[in-house]
Short mmCIF file of all heavy atoms in Angstrom, two decimals:
data_model
loop_
_atom_site.label_atom_id
_atom_site.label_comp_id
_atom_site.label_asym_id
_atom_site.label_seq_id
_atom_site.Cartn_x
_atom_site.Cartn_y
_atom_site.Cartn_z
N LYS A 1487 -12.14 -6.59 20.31
CA LYS A 1487 -11.72 -7.84 19.61
C LYS A 1487 -12.28 -8.97 20.51
O LYS A 1487 -12.05 -8.99 21.68
CB LYS A 1487 -10.21 -7.99 19.57
CG LYS A 1487 -9.78 -9.17 18.80
CD LYS A 1487 -8.27 -9.18 18.54
CE LYS A 1487 -7.75 -10.29 17.79
NZ LYS A 1487 -6.29 -10.31 17.57
N ALA A 1488 -13.14 -9.82 19.91
CA ALA A 1488 -13.77 -10.82 20.74
C ALA A 1488 -13.97 -12.06 19.92
O ALA A 1488 -14.06 -12.04 18.59
CB ALA A 1488 -15.23 -10.30 21.09
N ARG A 1489 -14.00 -13.30 20.64
CA ARG A 1489 -14.34 -14.48 19.96
C ARG A 1489 -15.78 -14.61 20.26
O ARG A 1489 -16.32 -14.05 21.21
CB ARG A 1489 -13.72 -15.67 20.77
CG ARG A 1489 -13.97 -16.99 20.22
CD ARG A 1489 -12.89 -18.07 20.59
NE ARG A 1489 -11.88 -17.98 19.60
CZ ARG A 1489 -10.61 -17.69 19.80
NH1 ARG A 1489 -10.20 -17.59 21.02
NH2 ARG A 1489 -9.71 -17.62 18.84
N PHE A 1490 -16.61 -15.05 19.20
CA PHE A 1490 -18.09 -15.05 19.29
C PHE A 1490 -18.64 -16.35 18.82
O PHE A 1490 -18.03 -17.12 18.11
CB PHE A 1490 -18.51 -13.93 18.30
CG PHE A 1490 -18.34 -14.11 16.85
CD1 PHE A 1490 -19.40 -14.70 16.12
CD2 PHE A 1490 -17.16 -13.71 16.32
CE1 PHE A 1490 -19.18 -14.87 14.74
CE2 PHE A 1490 -17.06 -13.92 14.86
CZ PHE A 1490 -18.04 -14.57 14.14
N THR A 1491 -19.95 -16.55 19.16
CA THR A 1491 -20.68 -17.64 18.64
C THR A 1491 -21.97 -17.00 18.17
O THR A 1491 -22.54 -15.98 18.77
CB THR A 1491 -21.00 -18.70 19.70
OG1 THR A 1491 -21.55 -17.98 20.84
CG2 THR A 1491 -19.79 -19.46 20.11
N LEU A 1492 -22.60 -17.66 17.20
CA LEU A 1492 -23.83 -17.16 16.61
C LEU A 1492 -24.96 -18.30 16.90
O LEU A 1492 -24.57 -19.47 16.72
CB LEU A 1492 -23.83 -16.84 15.12
CG LEU A 1492 -22.82 -15.87 14.65
CD1 LEU A 1492 -22.87 -15.80 13.10
CD2 LEU A 1492 -23.19 -14.42 15.19
N ASP A 1493 -26.16 -17.86 17.22
CA ASP A 1493 -27.25 -18.87 17.24
C ASP A 1493 -28.37 -18.37 16.31
O ASP A 1493 -29.20 -17.56 16.73
CB ASP A 1493 -27.79 -19.02 18.67
CG ASP A 1493 -29.01 -20.01 18.72
OD1 ASP A 1493 -29.36 -20.56 17.73
OD2 ASP A 1493 -29.53 -20.15 19.87
N PRO A 1494 -28.33 -18.81 15.00
CA PRO A 1494 -29.31 -18.22 14.14
C PRO A 1494 -30.70 -18.76 14.34
O PRO A 1494 -31.63 -18.31 13.80
CB PRO A 1494 -28.77 -18.68 12.75
CG PRO A 1494 -27.87 -19.76 12.99
CD PRO A 1494 -27.34 -19.62 14.42
N SER A 1495 -30.90 -19.80 15.19
CA SER A 1495 -32.23 -20.34 15.47
C SER A 1495 -33.03 -19.48 16.39
O SER A 1495 -34.18 -19.63 16.48
CB SER A 1495 -32.08 -21.74 16.06
OG SER A 1495 -31.49 -21.88 17.33
N ALA A 1496 -32.30 -18.64 17.18
CA ALA A 1496 -33.02 -17.69 18.12
C ALA A 1496 -33.82 -16.58 17.18
O ALA A 1496 -33.25 -16.32 16.12
CB ALA A 1496 -32.13 -17.06 19.09
N HIS A 1497 -34.69 -16.01 17.76
CA HIS A 1497 -35.40 -14.83 17.07
C HIS A 1497 -35.51 -13.60 17.97
O HIS A 1497 -36.26 -13.77 18.93
CB HIS A 1497 -36.79 -15.32 16.54
CG HIS A 1497 -36.71 -16.36 15.55
ND1 HIS A 1497 -36.33 -16.07 14.20
CD2 HIS A 1497 -36.84 -17.70 15.56
CE1 HIS A 1497 -36.35 -17.14 13.60
NE2 HIS A 1497 -36.66 -18.24 14.33
N PRO A 1498 -34.67 -12.50 17.76
CA PRO A 1498 -33.70 -12.44 16.66
C PRO A 1498 -32.47 -13.35 17.00
O PRO A 1498 -32.47 -13.87 18.04
CB PRO A 1498 -33.27 -10.95 16.75
CG PRO A 1498 -33.71 -10.49 18.10
CD PRO A 1498 -34.86 -11.28 18.53
N GLY A 1499 -31.62 -13.46 16.05
CA GLY A 1499 -30.43 -14.28 16.20
C GLY A 1499 -29.69 -13.90 17.45
O GLY A 1499 -29.64 -12.62 17.74
N ALA A 1500 -29.02 -14.80 18.12
CA ALA A 1500 -28.27 -14.53 19.30
C ALA A 1500 -26.75 -14.55 18.89
O ALA A 1500 -26.27 -15.31 18.19
CB ALA A 1500 -28.57 -15.47 20.42
N ILE A 1501 -26.02 -13.52 19.54
CA ILE A 1501 -24.67 -13.43 19.41
C ILE A 1501 -23.96 -13.36 20.84
O ILE A 1501 -24.56 -12.53 21.66
CB ILE A 1501 -24.15 -12.33 18.35
CG1 ILE A 1501 -22.63 -12.36 18.23
CG2 ILE A 1501 -24.67 -11.01 18.80
CD1 ILE A 1501 -22.14 -11.43 17.04
N ASP A 1502 -22.90 -14.09 21.06
CA ASP A 1502 -22.25 -13.96 22.33
C ASP A 1502 -20.85 -13.76 22.10
O ASP A 1502 -20.22 -14.43 21.27
CB ASP A 1502 -22.50 -15.27 23.12
CG ASP A 1502 -23.93 -15.46 23.58
OD1 ASP A 1502 -24.33 -14.65 24.38
OD2 ASP A 1502 -24.64 -16.37 23.08
N TYR A 1503 -20.26 -12.74 22.85
CA TYR A 1503 -18.94 -12.37 22.72
C TYR A 1503 -18.14 -12.83 24.02
O TYR A 1503 -18.71 -12.82 25.14
CB TYR A 1503 -18.60 -10.88 22.78
CG TYR A 1503 -18.93 -10.11 21.64
CD1 TYR A 1503 -19.09 -8.61 21.61
CD2 TYR A 1503 -19.26 -10.68 20.29
CE1 TYR A 1503 -19.34 -7.91 20.54
CE2 TYR A 1503 -19.60 -9.94 19.24
CZ TYR A 1503 -19.59 -8.59 19.34
OH TYR A 1503 -19.88 -7.86 18.18
N VAL A 1504 -16.88 -13.31 23.88
CA VAL A 1504 -15.88 -13.30 24.94
C VAL A 1504 -14.84 -12.29 24.57
O VAL A 1504 -14.09 -12.56 23.51
CB VAL A 1504 -15.26 -14.67 25.19
CG1 VAL A 1504 -14.22 -14.61 26.34
CG2 VAL A 1504 -16.50 -15.57 25.64
N ASN A 1505 -14.64 -11.19 25.28
CA ASN A 1505 -13.69 -10.12 24.89
C ASN A 1505 -12.28 -10.63 25.02
O ASN A 1505 -11.93 -11.25 26.03
CB ASN A 1505 -13.89 -8.88 25.69
CG ASN A 1505 -15.24 -8.23 25.37
OD1 ASN A 1505 -15.28 -7.48 24.30
ND2 ASN A 1505 -16.34 -8.39 26.01
N LEU A 1506 -11.45 -10.39 24.07
CA LEU A 1506 -10.05 -10.79 24.00
C LEU A 1506 -9.05 -9.82 24.36
O LEU A 1506 -7.91 -10.06 24.82
CB LEU A 1506 -9.69 -11.39 22.61
CG LEU A 1506 -10.53 -12.59 22.14
CD1 LEU A 1506 -10.19 -12.92 20.71
CD2 LEU A 1506 -10.27 -13.78 23.00
N GLU A 1507 -9.50 -8.49 24.29
CA GLU A 1507 -8.62 -7.37 24.60
C GLU A 1507 -9.32 -6.25 25.28
O GLU A 1507 -10.57 -6.25 25.35
CB GLU A 1507 -8.06 -6.84 23.20
CG GLU A 1507 -7.12 -7.67 22.50
CD GLU A 1507 -6.64 -7.00 21.09
OE1 GLU A 1507 -6.84 -5.81 20.90
OE2 GLU A 1507 -5.83 -7.66 20.45
N GLY A 1508 -8.47 -5.28 25.85
CA GLY A 1508 -9.11 -4.11 26.42
C GLY A 1508 -9.69 -4.19 27.73
O GLY A 1508 -9.40 -5.18 28.49
N SER A 1509 -10.41 -3.22 28.21
CA SER A 1509 -10.85 -3.19 29.66
C SER A 1509 -11.81 -4.30 29.96
O SER A 1509 -11.99 -4.63 31.05
CB SER A 1509 -11.46 -1.86 29.87
OG SER A 1509 -12.56 -1.65 28.98
N ASN A 1510 -12.51 -4.88 28.89
CA ASN A 1510 -13.37 -5.94 29.12
C ASN A 1510 -12.84 -7.40 28.84
O ASN A 1510 -13.58 -8.30 28.76
CB ASN A 1510 -14.59 -5.82 28.29
CG ASN A 1510 -15.46 -4.61 28.74
OD1 ASN A 1510 -15.60 -4.36 29.94
ND2 ASN A 1510 -16.12 -3.81 27.85
N ALA A 1511 -11.61 -7.45 28.70
CA ALA A 1511 -10.83 -8.71 28.33
C ALA A 1511 -11.32 -9.85 29.34
O ALA A 1511 -11.37 -9.61 30.50
CB ALA A 1511 -9.32 -8.58 28.46
N GLY A 1512 -11.74 -11.03 28.76
CA GLY A 1512 -12.15 -12.16 29.53
C GLY A 1512 -13.58 -12.00 29.92
O GLY A 1512 -14.10 -13.04 30.42
N LYS A 1513 -14.29 -10.93 29.71
CA LYS A 1513 -15.74 -10.82 30.02
C LYS A 1513 -16.58 -11.23 28.91
O LYS A 1513 -16.22 -10.99 27.66
CB LYS A 1513 -15.99 -9.42 30.40
CG LYS A 1513 -15.36 -8.91 31.77
CD LYS A 1513 -15.75 -7.44 32.12
CE LYS A 1513 -14.99 -7.08 33.30
NZ LYS A 1513 -15.18 -5.62 33.64
N SER A 1514 -17.69 -11.67 29.28
CA SER A 1514 -18.65 -12.13 28.20
C SER A 1514 -19.80 -11.02 27.97
O SER A 1514 -20.00 -10.29 28.88
CB SER A 1514 -19.46 -13.40 28.63
OG SER A 1514 -18.53 -14.48 28.84
N GLN A 1515 -20.30 -11.01 26.77
CA GLN A 1515 -21.37 -10.01 26.46
C GLN A 1515 -22.37 -10.80 25.63
O GLN A 1515 -22.06 -11.58 24.74
CB GLN A 1515 -20.84 -8.88 25.66
CG GLN A 1515 -20.09 -7.84 26.45
CD GLN A 1515 -19.63 -6.73 25.59
OE1 GLN A 1515 -18.49 -6.77 25.16
NE2 GLN A 1515 -20.36 -5.77 25.38
N ALA A 1516 -23.67 -10.52 25.86
CA ALA A 1516 -24.76 -11.16 25.13
C ALA A 1516 -25.48 -10.11 24.20
O ALA A 1516 -25.57 -8.90 24.63
CB ALA A 1516 -25.80 -11.70 26.12
N GLY A 1517 -25.81 -10.56 23.07
CA GLY A 1517 -26.47 -9.63 22.11
C GLY A 1517 -27.36 -10.24 21.08
O GLY A 1517 -27.58 -11.53 21.27
N ILE A 1518 -27.85 -9.53 20.24
CA ILE A 1518 -28.63 -9.99 19.13
C ILE A 1518 -28.15 -9.51 17.79
O ILE A 1518 -27.51 -8.44 17.75
CB ILE A 1518 -30.23 -9.68 19.41
CG1 ILE A 1518 -30.31 -8.13 19.55
CG2 ILE A 1518 -30.78 -10.45 20.59
CD1 ILE A 1518 -31.75 -7.62 19.64
#
């Protein structure tokens, strides 16, 4: 469960998470 932002202008599109629950709560993750 994460709050996310999308950047469709990046190629490929960028997605960033801030985890809301679990062992990674509070940690950020970067993706495409």
Side-chain angles (χ1 to χ4, degrees):
K1487 187 171 183 183
R1489 181 157 273 124
F1490 69 94
T1491 56
L1492 299 177
D1493 179 0
S1495 69
H1497 294 284
I1501 183 168
D1502 291 289
Y1503 286 169
V1504 175
N1505 289 282
L1506 300 174
E1507 290 182 5
S1509 58
N1510 291 324
K1513 295 182 182 170
S1514 298
Q1515 283 179 266
I1518 54 176

